[in-house]
Amino acid sequence: MKLFEAIKRLNHWDKQGRYVFRKGDLAYVFDEQGRTLDQTLVRLTKNDVLQRVAHGVYLFAFSQRIGSATLEHIARNLRRGDYTFESLESALSQYGVISQIPVDRITLMTTGRSGEYHTPYGVIEFTHTKAKAEDIVANVIEREGHPLPIASKQYAYTNLRSVGRNLTMVDTEELDGRT
């Protein structure tokens, strides 16, 4: 695919809010497959149109939407098809329950595999949960402008405890709402 045509198609998707893609998504966007698709991806990456942010995940480098939620978009693409939500230290920090603020890192719970991914936009830490879908849905909050929901304050703490993380940094008064 010609560079100009590829940029035009990616711009179209960007205007619709989509700027992070899996390789299979790009096969659809470019209507290519196999070696042809691989060659297009190599060329677009070399020309800084696409950025390979994780194995099989690409970001449209000219997107107008790159920002604070980009790491979540990448995470969603890495665990597409699994329940994934912000929890543990990331969520508790946002609720003010822990004083430490994770910088360039997001901690997520997922029904998929655990793993850690280092991307140009920060580190994504996935921790597996065996929780049932109905329990997850009942304890997470959808947020405007975020592709991933966040665990409620109590659920994030329950997750932190269940995976054996450090509890000494938790402000129990803030957790219980006594402040």
Side-chain angles (χ1 to χ4, degrees):
M1 169 161 299
K2 301 273 187 205
L3 188 62
F4 177 78
E5 179 62 26
I7 293 171
K8 184 177 163 185
R9 290 185 186 196
L10 290 166
N11 267 322
H12 168 77
W13 284 98
D14 187 44
K15 288 176 185 170
Q16 296 186 26
R18 185 82 183 274
Y19 65 100
V20 178
F21 304 90
R22 290 172 70 168
K23 184 178 178 181
D25 303 330
L26 292 170
Y28 175 80
V29 169
F30 300 139
D31 193 24
E32 295 179 347
Q33 55 187 327
R35 283 182 68 110
T36 306
L37 176 63
D38 290 342
Q39 290 171 345
T40 296
L41 296 179
V42 166
R43 188 170 49 260
L44 293 175
T45 302
K46 275 186 182 176
N47 285 295
D48 297 324
V49 173
L50 287 177
Q51 183 178 23
R52 185 177 175 270
V53 292
H55 180 71
V57 179
Y58 296 84
L59 178 138
F60 178 42
F62 300 143
S63 173
Q64 300 300 307
R65 301 179 184 283
I66 296 171
S68 61
T70 298
L71 201 54
E72 290 179 54
H73 283 283
I74 296 167
R76 186 179 66 183
N77 278 277
L78 285 167
R79 290 293 181 272
R80 195 181 296 168
D82 297 319
Y83 284 102
T84 302
F85 57 96
E86 188 171 357
S87 189
L88 307 168
E89 294 88 355
S90 290
L92 292 171
S93 174
Q94 289 189 46
Y95 291 124
V97 173
I98 60 174
S99 58
Q100 297 168 333
I101 300 171
V103 178
D104 292 337
R105 172 178 283 269
I106 188 169
T107 54
L108 306 170
M109 296 295 289
T110 182
T111 56
R113 290 174 309 165
S114 292
E116 188 171 280
Y117 294 83
H118 295 261
T119 79
Y121 298 89
V123 177
I124 302 167
E125 181 184 346
F126 292 106
T127 301
H128 177 75
T129 180
K130 292 181 181 179
K132 294 179 182 168
E134 55 267 15
D135 291 335
I136 295 170
V137 171
N139 289 290
V140 298
I141 303 158
E142 297 292 333
R143 304 173 288 172
E144 190 171 325
H146 290 268
L148 296 176
I150 189 169
S152 68
K153 187 190 304 185
Q154 289 295 325
Y155 196 50
Y157 178 72
T158 299
N159 292 157
L160 191 73
R161 242 188 22 238
S162 72
V163 299
R165 297 287 258 269
N166 183 354
L167 301 177
T168 60
M169 64 183 139
V170 175
D171 180 341
T172 54
E173 288 184 358
E174 186 67 40
L175 180 67
D176 296 334
R178 295 183 296 210
T179 58

